[in-house]
Amino acid sequence: MIAFVSGPVAALAPTTAVIEVGGIGMALQCTPQTLAALRVGQEAKLATSLVVREDSLTLYGFADDDERQVFELLQTASGVGPRLAQAMLATHSPDALRLAVSTGDEKALTTVSGIGKKGAQKLLLELKDRLGTPVGAHIGQQGIGTPVTSGWRDQLQAALIGLGYASREADEAVSAVAPQAEAAVAEGVAPPVPQLLRAALQTLNRAR
């Protein structure tokens, strides 16, 4: 098992970071929050989880060991694969997920793309004794089930700048996708940062 990778960031994409390790570029699937903290050329250390399939080997990267542990524990629930587990961590912090599960906060789980009402109820039952209690200091600030994507503007702008766009370009792209985010907020759903990032990149590509 590859527990972590450490080295300079060689490249960044909307869902992937490439870390140079001993002359080899390791491609890691990451959440927008993790990608937003990285800069090309700067040193980075990411906790990792290797997912082995018959036709693929996929390495997932995380800001810390806690995120990786929750990522792996989420997949012990039936119907939760690595993509859905990553989507849950893209929407909620590890402690917010622990709190949502421990308090039976069904609504918090349904804010994750791909999880409906029945799916949330099933996950609450299966994960109740697996994730444990919240351990971080963010709980009082975030509250029960508050998505970490509530600051979607900052996350989106940081991700675009991390991908090499100028602040002005990032600002314009964020403004272009703001109606989509505001529509999600109006429906009581956390703005889907990964989808917003893709839409923002499309507007930037059209402008060039």
Side-chain angles (χ1 to χ4, degrees):
M1 177 182 175
I2 302 173
F4 69 88
V5 298
S6 178
V9 179
L12 292 171
T15 60
T16 309
V18 178
I19 308 295
E20 184 179 342
V21 182
I24 299 174
M26 307 286 285
L28 285 73
Q29 297 290 316
C30 304
T31 65
Q33 297 95 304
T34 299
L35 291 169
L38 304 177
R39 296 291 181 271
V40 173
Q42 293 185 5
E43 292 287 323
K45 181 178 180 180
L46 296 178
T48 58
S49 180
L50 180 63
V51 176
V52 180
R53 295 288 183 266
E54 289 184 4
D55 58 349
S56 66
L57 294 174
T58 306
L59 198 59
Y60 288 82
F62 308 92
D64 53 39
D65 290 334
D66 188 35
E67 278 193 2
R68 177 185 59 196
Q69 181 182 27
V70 171
F71 172 78
E72 294 174 346
L73 287 172
L74 289 172
Q75 293 176 73
T76 64
S78 59
V80 179
R83 290 186 180 277
L84 182 56
Q86 189 178 51
M88 293 172 75
L89 284 167
T91 306
H92 296 287
S93 70
D95 266 352
L97 283 172
R98 289 190 186 97
L99 192 60
V101 171
S102 65
T103 58
D105 190 349
E106 180 184 306
K107 185 177 180 181
L109 295 186
T110 58
T111 62
V112 179
S113 177
I115 298 180
K117 184 180 177 65
K118 289 185 178 180
Q121 293 171 343
K122 185 178 179 182
L123 285 172
L124 288 174
L125 286 174
E126 291 194 32
L127 294 172
K128 187 171 184 180
D129 298 321
R130 301 181 191 179
L131 291 189
T133 57
V135 297
H138 320 298
I139 297 304
Q141 300 169 2
Q142 288 185 316
I144 296 176
T146 301
V148 294
T149 48
S150 57
W152 68 269
R153 285 181 180 274
D154 292 339
Q155 289 183 33
L156 197 55
Q157 185 176 45
L160 291 169
I161 292 174
L163 289 169
Y165 290 96
S167 294
R168 178 184 57 79
E169 292 177 306
D171 287 340
E172 292 175 354
V174 170
S175 296
V177 300
Q180 296 179 43
E182 290 166 359
V185 172
E187 295 176 2
V189 178
V193 176
Q195 291 93 317
L196 291 174
L197 180 56
R198 285 193 289 271
L201 288 170
Q202 289 175 356
T203 65
L204 287 166
N205 291 333
R206 286 197 296 267
R208 290 188 167 184

